[in-house]
């Protein structure tokens, strides 16, 4: 079966493709057109994600499709050092220790660090949506996620527009196929790197305690010691968080809203039932992971489930297919927050590179859903709504989600308990 990630079928219903590949019974297959090995099946994908010796992260952010010589020339100036998701071995271990040192990774610590700022941005989100009778939920979800990440990093909010455009360009260049915009996208990806690099360098030089937020925390952790963390490495971490920290959560919020609004009865419950809210978020991550494919490259010849993958091969780990493996999740196409083994999904990866922002992502999703469900109980998808995602082998994000607010009151002052 042909894998066509940029075609109309995959960009509206990728689960159909995952199901067909899984039904073929081959956890590993080669796609000569894309030049990729496709890895599916829950246990196989989990094993490969965790196998950092034979599967390297080095080319994770290298464009999946060939780029033109001109775009390649622009990208040659992209000199961000390997950190987090592009680093391997001891380099990754050192950077991971930095992240563990400064980034809250449990629900309680995330709430303490960011609960108030996320709640404030969720209130703004509800106000934005309530202001119109008919609206598009995706730009609103994107604004919310962008503003949270500028608050977390402590970047000026007026840089959110550039951050949005440039991260989108980066994602198009790396995970999609748009030859007509490649050169512009390469320039914008470079502009994103320069924004992060210039901001972090200026903060490092200003001294004086380095200021608030993750950027300040990175510089304090560094303590002027390049062997501990260099300024370019700190800037490259900011680059990862500036991108990974909002494209993913905006996508996930879109999926969570669609699942909540498409089935009568789900929506209003999310405002008042914390168990329903938590399981809705987890089942969204399982059913519709915001990253449903991720790249690795083999460091040696590897036998995976009886198939030999040669050294130096690029592999696309289909996290979406892993989350739809019927051997792990019964009736995987059904959205069922009450299902068994919900916590076994691979939406945040597995092993050494497990998502450092998982607690923040869960906090954002639950806060936004709770706030919107309380304040906009009549929110509904617009009549004739059709699902459409941006083309990508990795990020799954709706292009648009027209909705109506019902024209009812914005229940800003509604009591916290269900009346
Ligand atoms: C629903 C939202 C999110 C999803 C689905 C998601 C998914 C993932 C996945 C699949 C990985 C593993 C990559 C690998 O194995 O190489 C990952 C890693 C990572 N994520 Fe997330 N992520 C989300 C939100 C966030 C947020 C909010 C942040 C930061 C604020 C973040 C920062 C990172 C970083 C820095 C890594 C690399 C960790 C490492 O290599 O050690 N993510 N994420």
């Amino acid at each position: 079966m042909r894998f066509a990630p940029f075609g109309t079928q995959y960009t509206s219903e990728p689960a159909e493709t995952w199901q067909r590949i899984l039904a073929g019974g081959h956890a590993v297959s080669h796609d000569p057109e894309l030049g990729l090995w496709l890895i599916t099946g829950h246990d196989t994908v989990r094993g490969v994600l965790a196998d950092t010796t034979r599967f390297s992260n080095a080319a994770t952010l290298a464009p999946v499709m060939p780029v033109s010589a001109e775009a390649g020339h622009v990208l040659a100036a992209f000199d961000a050092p390997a950190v987090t998701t592009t680093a391997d071995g001891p380099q990754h271990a050192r950077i991971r220790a930095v992240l563990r040192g400064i980034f809250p990774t449990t629900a309680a610590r995330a709430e303490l660090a960011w609960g108030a700022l996320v709640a404030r941005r969720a209130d703004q989100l509800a106000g934005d949506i309530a202001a119109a009778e008919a609206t598009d939920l995706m730009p609103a979800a994107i604004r919310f996620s962008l503003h949270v990440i500028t608050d977390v990093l402590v970047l000026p909010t007026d840089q959110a527009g550039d951050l949005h455009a440039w991260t989108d360009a980066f994602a198009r260049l790396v995970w999609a196929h748009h030859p007509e915009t490649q050169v512009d996208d390469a320039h914008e990806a470079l502009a994103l790197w320069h924004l992060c690099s210039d901001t972090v360098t200026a903060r490092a030089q200003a001294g004086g305690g380095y200021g608030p937020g993750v950027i300040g925390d990175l510089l304090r952790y560094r303590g002027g010691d390049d062997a501990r963390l260099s300024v370019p490495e700190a800037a490259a971490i900011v680059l990862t968080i500036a991108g990974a920290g909002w494209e993913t959560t905006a996508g996930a919020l879109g999926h969570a809203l669609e699942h909540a609004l498409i089935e009568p009865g789900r929506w209003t419950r999310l405002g008042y039932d914390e168990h329903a809210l938590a399981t809705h978020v987890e089942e969204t991550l399982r059913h519709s992971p915001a990253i449903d494919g991720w790249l690795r490259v083999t460091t040696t010849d590897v036998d995976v489930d009886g198939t030999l993958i040669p050294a130096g091969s690029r592999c696309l780990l289909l996290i979406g297919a892993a989350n739809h493996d019927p051997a792990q999740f019964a009736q995987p196409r059904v959205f069922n927050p009450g299902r068994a083994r919900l916590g076994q999904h691979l939406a945040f990866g597995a092993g050494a590179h497990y998502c450092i922002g998982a607690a923040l992502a869960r906090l954002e999703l639950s806060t936004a859903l709770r706030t919107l469900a309380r304040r906009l109980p009549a929110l509904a998808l617009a009549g004739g709504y059709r699902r459409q995602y941006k083309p990508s082998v990795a990020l799954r994000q709706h292009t648009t989600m027209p909705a109506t607010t019902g024209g009812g009151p914005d229940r800003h002052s509604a009591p916290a308990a269900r009346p």
Side-chain angles (χ1 to χ4, degrees), residues 3 5-6 10-11 34 36 59-65 67 85-86 167-178 185 240 243-244 247-248 290-296 314-316 390-396:
F3 177 66
F6 311 125
Y10 201 73
T11 52
L34 293 167
L36 292 173
T60 295
L61 298 185
V64 67
M65 300 300 287
V67 295
T85 199
T86 55
T167 320
D168 270 356
F170 191 103
R172 252 194 319 271
L173 190 68
V174 174
W175 294 304
H177 187 47
H178 296 277
D185 290 345
T240 315
E247 288 275 18
T248 51
I291 289 184
D292 58 24
W294 203 243
L295 292 161
R296 291 281 200 264
R314 285 192 100 182
C315 303
L316 180 65
K390 290 183 192 173
S392 174
V393 297
L395 285 175
R396 196 64 44 217

Side-chain angles (χ1 to χ4, degrees), residues 49 57 84-85 92 96 99 103 149 240-241 244-245 248-249 252 285 290-291 294 296 319 347-349 352-357 360-361 364:
L49 279 167
N57 273 53
T84 66
T85 199
H92 176 257
R96 186 79 189 183
L99 289 173
F103 215 82
I149 215 62
T240 315
I241 294 176
T248 51
T249 43
L285 292 165
I291 289 184
W294 203 243
R296 291 281 200 264
I319 290 173
F348 291 122
H353 290 275
Y354 183 83
C355 178
I356 205 78
L360 174 59
E364 287 184 53

Side-chain angles (χ1 to χ4, degrees), residues 137-156:
L137 297 177
M138 279 319 291
I142 287 171
R143 244 185 339 269
F144 165 73
S145 304
L146 269 166
H147 284 160
V148 169
I149 215 62
T150 53
D151 289 349
V152 164
L153 287 167
V154 183
L155 287 171

Side-chain angles (χ1 to χ4, degrees), residues 38 63 87 91 124 126 184 192 219 228 256 281 307 356 392 411 417:
L38 304 179
Q91 168 71 2
Q124 281 176 2
D184 289 344
L192 177 65
L219 294 172
R228 202 165 151 80
V281 167
T307 302
I356 205 78
S392 174
R411 305 225 177 135

